[in-house]
Amino acid sequence: MTAQTQTQDGVVRALEQLRDELKLKVHLGKAEARDSWRELEDKWRELQRHRHDIETAGATSAAGVKSAAQNLIHELSDGYERIRNAL
C-alpha cells in the first residue's frame, strides 16, 4: 500500500466517523439538513465504489479512479462540514 493510499484511507476513516456522528444529528435535525444528507449519501456510496475499483484496477486505470475518489472526498468533507454547522 502506498503512502498516498494510506493517507487517503485515514481521511476516509475520519470522514466515516464524522458521517456516523452526523447521521444521528440529521435524523433528529432540520429538513434542509436531511435533504443535504441524502445527496451526500449518494456521494458516499460512489466513493465506496471508487475505493473498490482502486483496489482491483491496474496502475494506469487506478490513477483516474483515484482522482475521482479524491474529488468525492473533498465534496463529502465540505458537505459534512456544512451540515455540522447547520445543526
Side-chain angles (χ1 to χ4, degrees), residues 41-68:
E41 281 296 279
D42 290 340
K43 290 180 184 204
W44 178 258
R45 285 186 289 276
E46 186 177 349
L47 175 62
Q48 296 307 307
R49 284 192 302 273
H50 282 304
R51 292 185 74 217
H52 172 75
D53 292 344
I54 290 169
E55 292 172 3
T56 59
T60 304
S61 62
V65 177
K66 284 180 184 179
S67 176

PDB file of all heavy atoms in Angstrom, residues 41-68:
ATOM      1  N   GLU A  41     -25.144  11.052   0.898  1.00  0.00           N
ATOM      2  CA  GLU A  41     -25.155   9.587   0.966  1.00  0.00           C
ATOM      3  C   GLU A  41     -24.929   8.980  -0.420  1.00  0.00           C
ATOM      4  O   GLU A  41     -24.232   7.972  -0.543  1.00  0.00           O
ATOM      5  CB  GLU A  41     -26.468   9.082   1.570  1.00  0.00           C
ATOM      6  CG  GLU A  41     -26.509   9.182   3.078  1.00  0.00           C
ATOM      7  CD  GLU A  41     -25.475   8.309   3.752  1.00  0.00           C
ATOM      8  OE1 GLU A  41     -25.711   7.095   3.905  1.00  0.00           O
ATOM      9  OE2 GLU A  41     -24.401   8.843   4.117  1.00  0.00           O
ATOM     10  N   ASP A  42     -25.490   9.594  -1.448  1.00  0.00           N
ATOM     11  CA  ASP A  42     -25.240   9.120  -2.816  1.00  0.00           C
ATOM     12  C   ASP A  42     -23.749   9.229  -3.142  1.00  0.00           C
ATOM     13  O   ASP A  42     -23.162   8.314  -3.718  1.00  0.00           O
ATOM     14  CB  ASP A  42     -26.049   9.923  -3.827  1.00  0.00           C
ATOM     15  CG  ASP A  42     -27.543   9.636  -3.758  1.00  0.00           C
ATOM     16  OD1 ASP A  42     -27.928   8.570  -3.223  1.00  0.00           O
ATOM     17  OD2 ASP A  42     -28.325  10.482  -4.242  1.00  0.00           O
ATOM     18  N   LYS A  43     -23.143  10.341  -2.750  1.00  0.00           N
ATOM     19  CA  LYS A  43     -21.710  10.535  -2.999  1.00  0.00           C
ATOM     20  C   LYS A  43     -20.875   9.551  -2.168  1.00  0.00           C
ATOM     21  O   LYS A  43     -19.840   9.066  -2.623  1.00  0.00           O
ATOM     22  CB  LYS A  43     -21.306  11.973  -2.699  1.00  0.00           C
ATOM     23  CG  LYS A  43     -21.880  12.930  -3.718  1.00  0.00           C
ATOM     24  CD  LYS A  43     -21.497  14.348  -3.450  1.00  0.00           C
ATOM     25  CE  LYS A  43     -22.220  15.228  -4.469  1.00  0.00           C
ATOM     26  NZ  LYS A  43     -21.590  16.471  -4.698  1.00  0.00           N
ATOM     27  N   TRP A  44     -21.316   9.257  -0.947  1.00  0.00           N
ATOM     28  CA  TRP A  44     -20.618   8.291  -0.088  1.00  0.00           C
ATOM     29  C   TRP A  44     -20.594   6.920  -0.767  1.00  0.00           C
ATOM     30  O   TRP A  44     -19.553   6.263  -0.834  1.00  0.00           O
ATOM     31  CB  TRP A  44     -21.288   8.205   1.281  1.00  0.00           C
ATOM     32  CG  TRP A  44     -20.640   7.195   2.161  1.00  0.00           C
ATOM     33  CD1 TRP A  44     -21.088   5.946   2.433  1.00  0.00           C
ATOM     34  CD2 TRP A  44     -19.406   7.339   2.875  1.00  0.00           C
ATOM     35  NE1 TRP A  44     -20.218   5.298   3.267  1.00  0.00           N
ATOM     36  CE2 TRP A  44     -19.174   6.133   3.556  1.00  0.00           C
ATOM     37  CE3 TRP A  44     -18.487   8.369   3.004  1.00  0.00           C
ATOM     38  CZ2 TRP A  44     -18.059   5.945   4.356  1.00  0.00           C
ATOM     39  CZ3 TRP A  44     -17.379   8.161   3.802  1.00  0.00           C
ATOM     40  CH2 TRP A  44     -17.175   6.958   4.474  1.00  0.00           C
ATOM     41  N   ARG A  45     -21.729   6.497  -1.289  1.00  0.00           N
ATOM     42  CA  ARG A  45     -21.786   5.196  -1.968  1.00  0.00           C
ATOM     43  C   ARG A  45     -20.889   5.196  -3.209  1.00  0.00           C
ATOM     44  O   ARG A  45     -20.199   4.207  -3.481  1.00  0.00           O
ATOM     45  CB  ARG A  45     -23.231   4.851  -2.318  1.00  0.00           C
ATOM     46  CG  ARG A  45     -24.054   4.417  -1.097  1.00  0.00           C
ATOM     47  CD  ARG A  45     -25.439   3.929  -1.480  1.00  0.00           C
ATOM     48  NE  ARG A  45     -26.302   5.012  -1.918  1.00  0.00           N
ATOM     49  CZ  ARG A  45     -27.006   5.800  -1.100  1.00  0.00           C
ATOM     50  NH1 ARG A  45     -26.933   5.616   0.200  1.00  0.00           N
ATOM     51  NH2 ARG A  45     -27.775   6.751  -1.581  1.00  0.00           N
ATOM     52  N   GLU A  46     -20.857   6.312  -3.914  1.00  0.00           N
ATOM     53  CA  GLU A  46     -19.987   6.418  -5.085  1.00  0.00           C
ATOM     54  C   GLU A  46     -18.514   6.326  -4.671  1.00  0.00           C
ATOM     55  O   GLU A  46     -17.705   5.651  -5.326  1.00  0.00           O
ATOM     56  CB  GLU A  46     -20.251   7.735  -5.816  1.00  0.00           C
ATOM     57  CG  GLU A  46     -19.501   7.854  -7.109  1.00  0.00           C
ATOM     58  CD  GLU A  46     -19.822   9.143  -7.865  1.00  0.00           C
ATOM     59  OE1 GLU A  46     -20.773   9.864  -7.507  1.00  0.00           O
ATOM     60  OE2 GLU A  46     -19.077   9.416  -8.816  1.00  0.00           O
ATOM     61  N   LEU A  47     -18.162   6.977  -3.570  1.00  0.00           N
ATOM     62  CA  LEU A  47     -16.785   6.906  -3.071  1.00  0.00           C
ATOM     63  C   LEU A  47     -16.419   5.470  -2.718  1.00  0.00           C
ATOM     64  O   LEU A  47     -15.320   5.007  -3.037  1.00  0.00           O
ATOM     65  CB  LEU A  47     -16.611   7.814  -1.847  1.00  0.00           C
ATOM     66  CG  LEU A  47     -15.247   7.744  -1.161  1.00  0.00           C
ATOM     67  CD1 LEU A  47     -14.133   8.186  -2.111  1.00  0.00           C
ATOM     68  CD2 LEU A  47     -15.248   8.601   0.099  1.00  0.00           C
ATOM     69  N   GLN A  48     -17.323   4.753  -2.087  1.00  0.00           N
ATOM     70  CA  GLN A  48     -17.043   3.362  -1.730  1.00  0.00           C
ATOM     71  C   GLN A  48     -16.817   2.516  -2.985  1.00  0.00           C
ATOM     72  O   GLN A  48     -15.942   1.657  -3.002  1.00  0.00           O
ATOM     73  CB  GLN A  48     -18.192   2.787  -0.878  1.00  0.00           C
ATOM     74  CG  GLN A  48     -18.353   3.468   0.469  1.00  0.00           C
ATOM     75  CD  GLN A  48     -17.074   3.506   1.267  1.00  0.00           C
ATOM     76  OE1 GLN A  48     -16.423   2.491   1.498  1.00  0.00           O
ATOM     77  NE2 GLN A  48     -16.687   4.700   1.696  1.00  0.00           N
ATOM     78  N   ARG A  49     -17.589   2.781  -4.035  1.00  0.00           N
ATOM     79  CA  ARG A  49     -17.385   2.052  -5.304  1.00  0.00           C
ATOM     80  C   ARG A  49     -16.013   2.378  -5.888  1.00  0.00           C
ATOM     81  O   ARG A  49     -15.298   1.489  -6.359  1.00  0.00           O
ATOM     82  CB  ARG A  49     -18.490   2.399  -6.299  1.00  0.00           C
ATOM     83  CG  ARG A  49     -19.815   1.719  -6.019  1.00  0.00           C
ATOM     84  CD  ARG A  49     -20.791   1.872  -7.192  1.00  0.00           C
ATOM     85  NE  ARG A  49     -21.059   3.259  -7.534  1.00  0.00           N
ATOM     86  CZ  ARG A  49     -22.012   4.013  -6.962  1.00  0.00           C
ATOM     87  NH1 ARG A  49     -22.766   3.510  -6.005  1.00  0.00           N
ATOM     88  NH2 ARG A  49     -22.192   5.264  -7.358  1.00  0.00           N
ATOM     89  N   HIS A  50     -15.629   3.656  -5.839  1.00  0.00           N
ATOM     90  CA  HIS A  50     -14.317   4.050  -6.361  1.00  0.00           C
ATOM     91  C   HIS A  50     -13.201   3.382  -5.571  1.00  0.00           C
ATOM     92  O   HIS A  50     -12.200   2.954  -6.153  1.00  0.00           O
ATOM     93  CB  HIS A  50     -14.134   5.566  -6.322  1.00  0.00           C
ATOM     94  CG  HIS A  50     -14.838   6.290  -7.415  1.00  0.00           C
ATOM     95  ND1 HIS A  50     -14.642   6.022  -8.743  1.00  0.00           N
ATOM     96  CD2 HIS A  50     -15.746   7.297  -7.374  1.00  0.00           C
ATOM     97  CE1 HIS A  50     -15.393   6.817  -9.479  1.00  0.00           C
ATOM     98  NE2 HIS A  50     -16.077   7.601  -8.666  1.00  0.00           N
ATOM     99  N   ARG A  51     -13.336   3.319  -4.270  1.00  0.00           N
ATOM    100  CA  ARG A  51     -12.288   2.691  -3.461  1.00  0.00           C
ATOM    101  C   ARG A  51     -12.144   1.222  -3.837  1.00  0.00           C
ATOM    102  O   ARG A  51     -11.030   0.700  -3.923  1.00  0.00           O
ATOM    103  CB  ARG A  51     -12.590   2.851  -1.974  1.00  0.00           C
ATOM    104  CG  ARG A  51     -12.477   4.303  -1.536  1.00  0.00           C
ATOM    105  CD  ARG A  51     -12.657   4.480  -0.063  1.00  0.00           C
ATOM    106  NE  ARG A  51     -11.455   3.991   0.610  1.00  0.00           N
ATOM    107  CZ  ARG A  51     -11.481   3.356   1.773  1.00  0.00           C
ATOM    108  NH1 ARG A  51     -12.612   3.128   2.385  1.00  0.00           N
ATOM    109  NH2 ARG A  51     -10.370   2.961   2.332  1.00  0.00           N
ATOM    110  N   HIS A  52     -13.257   0.554  -4.071  1.00  0.00           N
ATOM    111  CA  HIS A  52     -13.195  -0.844  -4.501  1.00  0.00           C
ATOM    112  C   HIS A  52     -12.515  -0.939  -5.864  1.00  0.00           C
ATOM    113  O   HIS A  52     -11.677  -1.816  -6.085  1.00  0.00           O
ATOM    114  CB  HIS A  52     -14.600  -1.450  -4.566  1.00  0.00           C
ATOM    115  CG  HIS A  52     -14.618  -2.814  -5.168  1.00  0.00           C
ATOM    116  ND1 HIS A  52     -14.174  -3.928  -4.486  1.00  0.00           N
ATOM    117  CD2 HIS A  52     -14.988  -3.249  -6.401  1.00  0.00           C
ATOM    118  CE1 HIS A  52     -14.277  -4.983  -5.264  1.00  0.00           C
ATOM    119  NE2 HIS A  52     -14.770  -4.598  -6.425  1.00  0.00           N
ATOM    120  N   ASP A  53     -12.853  -0.013  -6.773  1.00  0.00           N
ATOM    121  CA  ASP A  53     -12.254  -0.011  -8.100  1.00  0.00           C
ATOM    122  C   ASP A  53     -10.745   0.210  -8.030  1.00  0.00           C
ATOM    123  O   ASP A  53      -9.983  -0.383  -8.796  1.00  0.00           O
ATOM    124  CB  ASP A  53     -12.893   1.057  -8.988  1.00  0.00           C
ATOM    125  CG  ASP A  53     -14.341   0.740  -9.333  1.00  0.00           C
ATOM    126  OD1 ASP A  53     -14.767  -0.428  -9.145  1.00  0.00           O
ATOM    127  OD2 ASP A  53     -15.049   1.667  -9.783  1.00  0.00           O
ATOM    128  N   ILE A  54     -10.303   1.074  -7.124  1.00  0.00           N
ATOM    129  CA  ILE A  54      -8.873   1.340  -6.960  1.00  0.00           C
ATOM    130  C   ILE A  54      -8.142   0.061  -6.548  1.00  0.00           C
ATOM    131  O   ILE A  54      -7.069  -0.245  -7.055  1.00  0.00           O
ATOM    132  CB  ILE A  54      -8.616   2.453  -5.928  1.00  0.00           C
ATOM    133  CG1 ILE A  54      -9.070   3.803  -6.490  1.00  0.00           C
ATOM    134  CG2 ILE A  54      -7.148   2.508  -5.505  1.00  0.00           C
ATOM    135  CD1 ILE A  54      -9.114   4.921  -5.468  1.00  0.00           C
ATOM    136  N   GLU A  55      -8.753  -0.689  -5.648  1.00  0.00           N
ATOM    137  CA  GLU A  55      -8.118  -1.910  -5.151  1.00  0.00           C
ATOM    138  C   GLU A  55      -7.996  -2.965  -6.238  1.00  0.00           C
ATOM    139  O   GLU A  55      -7.070  -3.764  -6.222  1.00  0.00           O
ATOM    140  CB  GLU A  55      -8.917  -2.468  -3.970  1.00  0.00           C
ATOM    141  CG  GLU A  55      -8.852  -1.595  -2.740  1.00  0.00           C
ATOM    142  CD  GLU A  55      -9.791  -2.056  -1.631  1.00  0.00           C
ATOM    143  OE1 GLU A  55     -10.464  -3.100  -1.794  1.00  0.00           O
ATOM    144  OE2 GLU A  55      -9.866  -1.355  -0.607  1.00  0.00           O
ATOM    145  N   THR A  56      -8.932  -2.969  -7.181  1.00  0.00           N
ATOM    146  CA  THR A  56      -8.936  -4.019  -8.200  1.00  0.00           C
ATOM    147  C   THR A  56      -8.381  -3.573  -9.546  1.00  0.00           C
ATOM    148  O   THR A  56      -8.168  -4.404 -10.423  1.00  0.00           O
ATOM    149  CB  THR A  56     -10.376  -4.553  -8.404  1.00  0.00           C
ATOM    150  OG1 THR A  56     -11.223  -3.481  -8.813  1.00  0.00           O
ATOM    151  CG2 THR A  56     -10.898  -5.184  -7.130  1.00  0.00           C
ATOM    152  N   ALA A  57      -8.146  -2.271  -9.714  1.00  0.00           N
ATOM    153  CA  ALA A  57      -7.693  -1.750 -11.010  1.00  0.00           C
ATOM    154  C   ALA A  57      -6.185  -1.859 -11.154  1.00  0.00           C
ATOM    155  O   ALA A  57      -5.443  -1.907 -10.181  1.00  0.00           O
ATOM    156  CB  ALA A  57      -8.116  -0.292 -11.158  1.00  0.00           C
ATOM    157  N   GLY A  58      -5.746  -1.853 -12.402  1.00  0.00           N
ATOM    158  CA  GLY A  58      -4.319  -1.785 -12.691  1.00  0.00           C
ATOM    159  C   GLY A  58      -3.809  -0.387 -12.399  1.00  0.00           C
ATOM    160  O   GLY A  58      -4.584   0.550 -12.220  1.00  0.00           O
ATOM    161  N   ALA A  59      -2.512  -0.214 -12.381  1.00  0.00           N
ATOM    162  CA  ALA A  59      -1.895   1.063 -12.012  1.00  0.00           C
ATOM    163  C   ALA A  59      -2.350   2.206 -12.912  1.00  0.00           C
ATOM    164  O   ALA A  59      -2.617   3.303 -12.446  1.00  0.00           O
ATOM    165  CB  ALA A  59      -0.377   0.935 -12.051  1.00  0.00           C
ATOM    166  N   THR A  60      -2.452   1.965 -14.208  1.00  0.00           N
ATOM    167  CA  THR A  60      -2.822   3.040 -15.139  1.00  0.00           C
ATOM    168  C   THR A  60      -4.254   3.491 -14.929  1.00  0.00           C
ATOM    169  O   THR A  60      -4.528   4.681 -14.789  1.00  0.00           O
ATOM    170  CB  THR A  60      -2.641   2.564 -16.600  1.00  0.00           C
ATOM    171  OG1 THR A  60      -1.309   2.115 -16.770  1.00  0.00           O
ATOM    172  CG2 THR A  60      -2.945   3.674 -17.562  1.00  0.00           C
ATOM    173  N   SER A  61      -5.187   2.565 -14.876  1.00  0.00           N
ATOM    174  CA  SER A  61      -6.587   2.950 -14.717  1.00  0.00           C
ATOM    175  C   SER A  61      -6.878   3.412 -13.296  1.00  0.00           C
ATOM    176  O   SER A  61      -7.810   4.179 -13.070  1.00  0.00           O
ATOM    177  CB  SER A  61      -7.509   1.799 -15.113  1.00  0.00           C
ATOM    178  OG  SER A  61      -7.305   0.686 -14.282  1.00  0.00           O
ATOM    179  N   ALA A  62      -6.092   2.981 -12.329  1.00  0.00           N
ATOM    180  CA  ALA A  62      -6.313   3.387 -10.943  1.00  0.00           C
ATOM    181  C   ALA A  62      -6.093   4.879 -10.755  1.00  0.00           C
ATOM    182  O   ALA A  62      -6.738   5.499  -9.906  1.00  0.00           O
ATOM    183  CB  ALA A  62      -5.397   2.602 -10.003  1.00  0.00           C
ATOM    184  N   ALA A  63      -5.225   5.479 -11.551  1.00  0.00           N
ATOM    185  CA  ALA A  63      -4.947   6.907 -11.395  1.00  0.00           C
ATOM    186  C   ALA A  63      -6.199   7.743 -11.619  1.00  0.00           C
ATOM    187  O   ALA A  63      -6.473   8.681 -10.868  1.00  0.00           O
ATOM    188  CB  ALA A  63      -3.848   7.341 -12.363  1.00  0.00           C
ATOM    189  N   GLY A  64      -6.983   7.423 -12.637  1.00  0.00           N
ATOM    190  CA  GLY A  64      -8.222   8.156 -12.892  1.00  0.00           C
ATOM    191  C   GLY A  64      -9.246   7.942 -11.802  1.00  0.00           C
ATOM    192  O   GLY A  64      -9.944   8.869 -11.388  1.00  0.00           O
ATOM    193  N   VAL A  65      -9.328   6.714 -11.318  1.00  0.00           N
ATOM    194  CA  VAL A  65     -10.279   6.399 -10.251  1.00  0.00           C
ATOM    195  C   VAL A  65      -9.868   7.115  -8.969  1.00  0.00           C
ATOM    196  O   VAL A  65     -10.713   7.651  -8.247  1.00  0.00           O
ATOM    197  CB  VAL A  65     -10.361   4.870 -10.030  1.00  0.00           C
ATOM    198  CG1 VAL A  65     -11.282   4.532  -8.876  1.00  0.00           C
ATOM    199  CG2 VAL A  65     -10.830   4.170 -11.298  1.00  0.00           C
ATOM    200  N   LYS A  66      -8.561   7.173  -8.695  1.00  0.00           N
ATOM    201  CA  LYS A  66      -8.080   7.873  -7.501  1.00  0.00           C
ATOM    202  C   LYS A  66      -8.417   9.353  -7.564  1.00  0.00           C
ATOM    203  O   LYS A  66      -8.807   9.948  -6.569  1.00  0.00           O
ATOM    204  CB  LYS A  66      -6.570   7.692  -7.346  1.00  0.00           C
ATOM    205  CG  LYS A  66      -6.170   6.342  -6.842  1.00  0.00           C
ATOM    206  CD  LYS A  66      -4.653   6.234  -6.705  1.00  0.00           C
ATOM    207  CE  LYS A  66      -4.240   4.847  -6.281  1.00  0.00           C
ATOM    208  NZ  LYS A  66      -2.786   4.722  -6.167  1.00  0.00           N
ATOM    209  N   SER A  67      -8.291   9.938  -8.730  1.00  0.00           N
ATOM    210  CA  SER A  67      -8.613  11.349  -8.898  1.00  0.00           C
ATOM    211  C   SER A  67     -10.097  11.592  -8.637  1.00  0.00           C
ATOM    212  O   SER A  67     -10.474  12.541  -7.934  1.00  0.00           O
ATOM    213  CB  SER A  67      -8.239  11.801 -10.307  1.00  0.00           C
ATOM    214  OG  SER A  67      -8.626  13.139 -10.507  1.00  0.00           O
ATOM    215  N   ALA A  68     -10.941  10.740  -9.164  1.00  0.00           N
ATOM    216  CA  ALA A  68     -12.385  10.866  -8.932  1.00  0.00           C
ATOM    217  C   ALA A  68     -12.708  10.676  -7.458  1.00  0.00           C
ATOM    218  O   ALA A  68     -13.537  11.398  -6.890  1.00  0.00           O
ATOM    219  CB  ALA A  68     -13.147   9.850  -9.782  1.00  0.00           C
TER     220      ALA A  68
END
